[in-house]
Amino acid sequence: MHQQSNRQLQERLTTLPIADVIAMAARFFTRRSGVYATFIEKQGPSHLVLRGQGGEELVIAARVTDAGTSVSGSTYMFDQQVARFLDSLPAAPALSQAAPDAPAIAALPEGVA
């Protein structure tokens, strides 16, 4: 498998509202210079499409979930910059997977090892 496959779509949960995420992404990606420069091609209330070197597309999108605002970034060449942007967002607190009153480990029936 191509080693970039896992880096083309990156996600992060944050405490920020969608509008703040999109505004931060616009500032973060358009203020770079050199080979990592991008410009805004399309923008909506929950997404941002940018173009960079050689027409490379970079997409940032956000949606509200029960755990916080889910932010995803998709690109082929700008994976390191997307990772840096996502790391700059305040992380949402982790939610417990188990119900609060459920035991952490289920007991096995008697006689089962």
Side-chain angles (χ1 to χ4, degrees), residues 20-30 38 48 50 60 85 89:
D20 290 355
V21 169
I22 300 302
M24 285 179 67
R27 282 191 306 274
F28 183 90
F29 290 105
T30 59
T38 62
L48 182 65
L50 301 115
I60 300 292
F85 169 69
L89 301 174

Side-chain angles (χ1 to χ4, degrees), residues 4 6 20 34 44-45 47 50 64 66 68 77 82 88 93 96 101 110:
Q4 289 290 101
N6 295 338
D20 290 355
H47 72 281
L50 301 115
V64 175
D66 291 339
M77 287 178 53
V82 169
S88 74
S96 173
D101 57 348
E110 221 174 284

Side-chain angles (χ1 to χ4, degrees), residues 25-43:
R27 282 191 306 274
F28 183 90
F29 290 105
T30 59
R31 294 197 176 161
R32 305 283 176 192
S33 59
V35 297
Y36 301 113
T38 62
F39 63 92
I40 297 172
E41 183 174 76
K42 297 177 190 174
Q43 185 171 356

